[in-house]
Amino acid sequence: MTGYDVDVLVAGAGPVGLTAAALLARSGVSVRLVDAAAAPATTSRALGSHARSLEIYDQLGILGEIAPHGTRINTFVMHRGGHPNRLDFDFGGLPTRFPYMFNVDQVIIERVLRGQGAAAGVAVEWNTGLESFRQDEDAVTAVLRRPDGTEETVRARYLWGCDGGHSTVRKTLGLPLTGEPAHTWLIADALVHTDVDIDGVHWLFARGGTLMLFPFPEPGKWRLLDTTGEGQPDDPEQIARQFSAKLSRALGRDTVVERPIWASKFTIQQRAVPAMRLGRCFVSGDAAHVHSPASGQGLNTGIQDAYNLAWKLAMVVHGHADATLLDTYDAERVPIGQALLASTGEVMDTIMVDKAGGTGGTGGTLPVTSSASSSGTCRDWPSPTPTAH
């Protein structure tokens, strides 16, 4: 049996699946993009975009649509003793046109990527989940299921799992996410009445743990992180009071946090798969590696997974390369996922200090060059792991 309905079936319409589908379609590969969700997400998860991701957006021709909705992050600010120590980022050694960090809401990125895919002829099929699949030498036979119980059988030359941490593709392939759980953190997005600099990431010390503030482009909106994991996300008023009290103590002045737009408590998983390809099936993004969000690597690494594989699949589908080219995806990207466990773990342990110069039981070093200065260059802060493309 050698027939097939589509070249590539992509499961998962988050930023990774959207990037995969857009790149494939632009290369003339037939694609179906399915997602079990009823509609796109309306609340953000990822926020930071690194230089390599900005390069990919630029190459896709979408950076101009994304850039007006984001803001550059130029500095890291450590607050202690009521005084901010501003440590400017130094990306001067990076061979890139975008030597900076850039905060932009994941919702914006997904919206622009959906438009890019639609322009290339790929529309997201919402309410369409990947139920099961099997593969043979020639293709993958997948069963899609909709909420009303109807099913559809699709035969694709390749199946690409971009379906997140609970990936059906990964589980069906029997790929283990090896590693361990780490800390439980609380995060929330809210308007904050504060006078701290909006071009920086802020690190503050509160009793029993630490806090971090990440600016959104919208005036007054911040992402808040509490490493103690205290609080109930389903009680937004309590979350607002908790962050208000902790920030007021850490900053030494009254700080009011409004009712969160979104809040979540989660246990950080530091895990990665030993392989990202089995036969005609692939996994990318959170389906292949999950780790601390401390250095903002999740969305960025997933998009770079997609960029790495898409052109290779297109070459093979069009007969311009032998299928052995696809082996390089696994060879190149699996080590990246493993390296991320180490680098994000280092950043996470650095964050988990309960006071300047002390640790909260996890170790770590302070990301400063000189504890006596109020400004400087942030060179000792663990930097993002370079990712091959």
Side-chain angles (χ1 to χ4, degrees), residues 12 220 292 297 303:
S292 165
Q297 288 287 359
I303 284 177

Side-chain angles (χ1 to χ4, degrees), residues 93-279:
L94 292 180
T96 179
R97 292 172 53 214
F98 309 104
Y100 49 82
M101 290 185 64
F102 192 73
N103 273 12
V104 60
D105 198 315
Q106 178 178 328
V107 170
I108 300 295
I109 294 173
E110 291 185 4
R111 186 180 70 201
V112 173
L113 285 170
R114 282 195 302 274
Q116 182 75 183
V122 181
V124 180
E125 300 178 45
W126 300 108
N127 282 315
T128 305
L130 176 65
E131 183 73 10
S132 62
F133 67 89
R134 57 182 173 81
Q135 60 176 317
D136 54 42
E137 292 184 0
D138 302 307
V140 179
T141 302
V143 176
L144 306 179
R145 186 178 180 86
R146 296 177 178 82
D148 62 4
T150 60
E151 294 184 349
E152 177 189 2
T153 299
V154 177
R155 193 161 167 83
R157 293 179 68 173
Y158 297 97
L159 171 63
W160 193 343
C162 306
D163 47 347
H166 300 289
S167 172
T168 296
V169 176
R170 184 192 68 240
K171 291 176 181 177
T172 303
L173 292 174
L175 292 172
L177 269 176
T178 57
E180 59 186 15
H183 309 281
T184 297
W185 288 355
L186 175 75
I187 56 176
D189 295 345
L191 293 177
V192 182
H193 298 274
T194 180
D195 59 356
V196 299
D197 294 338
I198 62 173
D199 68 337
V201 173
H202 297 263
W203 189 27
L204 309 97
F205 305 97
R207 187 178 304 130
T210 58
L211 306 173
M212 295 195 76
L213 294 175
F214 305 85
F216 278 89
E218 297 91 335
K221 184 178 178 182
W222 294 81
R223 170 152 298 168
L224 309 166
L225 185 152
D226 185 341
T227 65
T228 68
E230 298 171 350
Q232 298 302 320
D234 58 357
D235 187 350
E237 300 296 343
Q238 183 269 328
I239 294 297
R241 292 193 299 271
Q242 173 179 311
F243 274 115
S244 294
K246 288 190 174 187
L247 285 173
S248 294
R249 287 197 299 269
L251 290 170
R253 55 189 181 274
D254 288 342
T255 304
V256 176
V257 176
E258 295 189 11
R259 178 189 174 99
I261 302 162
W262 169 77
S264 177
K265 180 186 288 189
F266 63 99
T267 298
I268 299 163
Q269 303 288 335
Q270 292 283 97
R271 304 179 188 273
V273 294
M276 294 172 68
R277 177 198 181 190
L278 281 180

Side-chain angles (χ1 to χ4, degrees), residues 80 85 368-375:
R80 52 186 174 182
N85 294 315
V368 293
T369 54
S370 172
S371 60
S373 67
S374 60
S375 64

Side-chain angles (χ1 to χ4, degrees), residues 43-78:
T43 56
S44 182
R45 299 298 186 268
L47 186 58
S49 287
H50 299 314
R52 181 59 190 142
S53 297
L54 296 175
E55 291 172 351
I56 292 172
Y57 300 152
D58 190 36
Q59 292 165 17
L60 277 169
I62 61 175
L63 185 57
E65 296 180 67
I66 292 174
H69 302 283
T71 185
R72 293 192 187 192
I73 303 301
N74 303 312
T75 189
F76 184 89
V77 186
M78 179 189 295

